[in-house]
Amino acid sequence: MGMTITEKNMARHAGLDVVKPGQIIECHLDAVLMNDITFPPARKEFLKIGKPVFDRHKIYLVPDHFTPNKDIQSATQAKVMRDFVREHGITNYFEVGRMGIEHVILPEKGLIGPGEMMIGADSHTCTYGAVNAFSTGVGSTDAGVAMAEGKTWFKVPETIKVELIGKPNKWVTGKDVILDLIGQIGVDGARYMALEFAGEGVQHMTMADRLTICNMAIEAGGKCGVFPYDEITEEYIKGRVNRPVEPINPDPDAVYAQTITIDLSKLQPVVAFPHLPSNTHYINEIDKDIKIDQVIIGSCTNGRYEDLVAAAEIFKGRKVAPFVRCIVIPGSQDVYDQAMKDGLLDIFIQADCAVSTPTCGPCLGGYMGIMAEGERTVSTTNRNFRGRMGHVDSEVYLASPYVAAASAVLGRIAGPEEV
């Protein structure tokens, strides 16, 4: 009996020939990731063990949630990380000015590659399945122990195959694919399962699309999301991942718990209404009179260069609607720099957008985009739970950069074709 991509990856890192769903295994890790919120409690657990870090080159520390620091508490959290980096000689630490959103900069800098395995004390660590890796979010306790041991335990998940067929129409992005999937199966439809994307439609998913799709596997309850290794993966890692890698593709006789088919040619832009990512609606089904107060374009889900290009296509020669604030947040310094050189920032500024330094701030209701009671935001982020981005009686609508930008221009939830 063959294995899925996730099963083969787990078997490799556990030193086993075969693994099966439900099996408890211990795996050696290629990397451990933490941010400014999750690192301080992880450090406490690490210190209890009394060992040095397992490999100072394989621990990735990124202060991105409350940085640049918004208050004394966030500055203190960042200092705890900074002091640890100095003490242990951590090489992959990304200070303000050289940093970005963790799930944007790690693939960008080739810190995770095909066939590798990592954990991160952040639920959206599942992003890296886009480059054919196994990656998943864990708690700070598990991350702290892994810093010392270089390994952790897993229960092998079952796998759902998501068969992509057809070719997407203009304006349809990876964000629409994953929102459509979550709308079909619900926020617990893939609970502790791997989402493996397959089919002829995969060739139409750019790496930016794949990173967005895998990023939101957790919003379906997934343990991870993963794409096969193909020409798109190979081209992306070229010049980024400067070490030998061993890609993994599924066996022809791999066994799946379920197969779901998505016809990309039938997709439209999708919007997730409050207060769940599964409360999805196609753009042509939406009331044309849902007024908004704010738009956020950025985050680990849609803060990549391609996302800014999409937004700029809509904003060029247009203005943000009166009484609407639009905040654009490049996902990394490299994204910021490229957007500046290519004139995207000029387009945003001339459209009356505010452009921020890379940060996760607004996504988790931290800062740089908090809502007051009764306000509505269209956001390219990943969660729209009640109170996620501000007051408990505010509302978050999740959408692609195309829809977010069009909504900013018209002052209501709108599709790109409307502008």
Side-chain angles (χ1 to χ4, degrees), residues 233-413:
T233 325
E234 183 178 18
E235 181 62 28
Y236 182 80
I237 68 168
K238 192 182 300 180
R240 298 178 190 270
V241 180
N242 298 311
R243 58 188 177 278
V245 294
E246 297 181 59
I248 298 174
N249 282 324
D251 292 327
D253 57 344
V255 176
Y256 297 92
Q258 182 183 358
T259 298
I260 297 169
T261 301
I262 296 178
D263 188 342
L264 300 175
S265 68
K266 295 181 179 179
L267 276 188
Q268 301 175 33
V270 179
V271 179
F273 279 40
H275 292 283
L276 284 174
S278 57
N279 186 11
T280 54
H281 303 265
Y282 286 135
I283 196 69
N284 69 348
E285 302 169 347
I286 295 172
D287 183 348
K288 301 298 184 184
D289 197 34
I290 302 177
K291 304 294 185 184
I292 62 170
D293 303 282
Q294 178 175 268
V295 168
I296 299 290
I297 298 172
S299 87
C300 65
T301 312
N302 284 114
R304 296 176 185 86
Y305 178 75
E306 295 85 348
D307 300 310
L308 301 193
V309 169
E313 183 177 347
I314 302 298
F315 279 125
K316 190 170 185 178
R318 301 182 175 94
K319 294 281 189 181
V320 173
F323 302 105
V324 174
R325 54 197 186 269
C326 180
I327 303 170
V328 180
I329 305 177
S332 72
Q333 288 289 81
D334 286 349
V335 172
Y336 200 117
D337 185 45
Q338 193 63 49
M340 179 173 59
K341 289 174 179 174
D342 291 348
L344 304 186
L345 301 193
D346 283 341
I347 293 172
F348 297 140
I349 291 168
Q350 289 165 18
D352 296 336
C353 300
V355 181
S356 166
T357 185
T359 181
C360 298
C363 177
L364 72 157
Y367 73 134
M368 291 293 294
I370 305 305
M371 286 188 289
E373 181 179 4
E375 290 193 312
R376 293 190 184 111
T377 287
V378 174
S379 180
T380 67
T381 55
N382 41 48
R383 289 182 180 155
N384 59 346
F385 306 145
R386 186 180 296 277
R388 172 74 177 179
M389 293 178 66
H391 197 281
V392 292
D393 291 323
S394 61
E395 295 180 345
V396 180
Y397 294 76
L398 302 177
S400 73
Y402 285 127
V403 172
S407 301
V409 169
L410 295 180
R412 60 174 174 80
I413 297 178

Side-chain angles (χ1 to χ4, degrees), residues 26-57:
E26 187 175 72
C27 293
H28 290 273
L29 300 169
D30 294 298
V32 180
L33 167 70
M34 280 159 283
N35 59 52
D36 47 320
I37 291 179
T38 60
F39 175 76
R43 172 183 171 274
K44 291 180 181 178
E45 299 306 316
F46 168 81
L47 292 176
K48 292 177 183 177
I49 298 171
K51 286 185 176 181
V53 295
F54 83 101
D55 189 324
R56 67 191 185 94
H57 304 296

Side-chain angles (χ1 to χ4, degrees), residues 135-190:
S135 60
T136 195
V138 299
S140 290
T141 298
D142 283 334
V145 173
M147 276 203 298
E149 302 291 347
K151 57 187 178 182
T152 195
W153 67 275
F154 297 105
K155 181 175 78 170
V156 179
E158 292 184 300
T159 297
I160 296 175
K161 179 193 279 189
V162 183
E163 191 88 17
L164 303 181
I165 63 172
K167 181 179 180 180
N169 297 308
K170 186 172 175 59
W171 314 123
V172 171
T173 71
K175 184 63 162 283
D176 304 301
V177 173
I178 189 62
L179 285 177
D180 186 71
L181 176 61
I182 297 167
Q184 287 188 50
I185 67 176
V187 293
D188 61 351

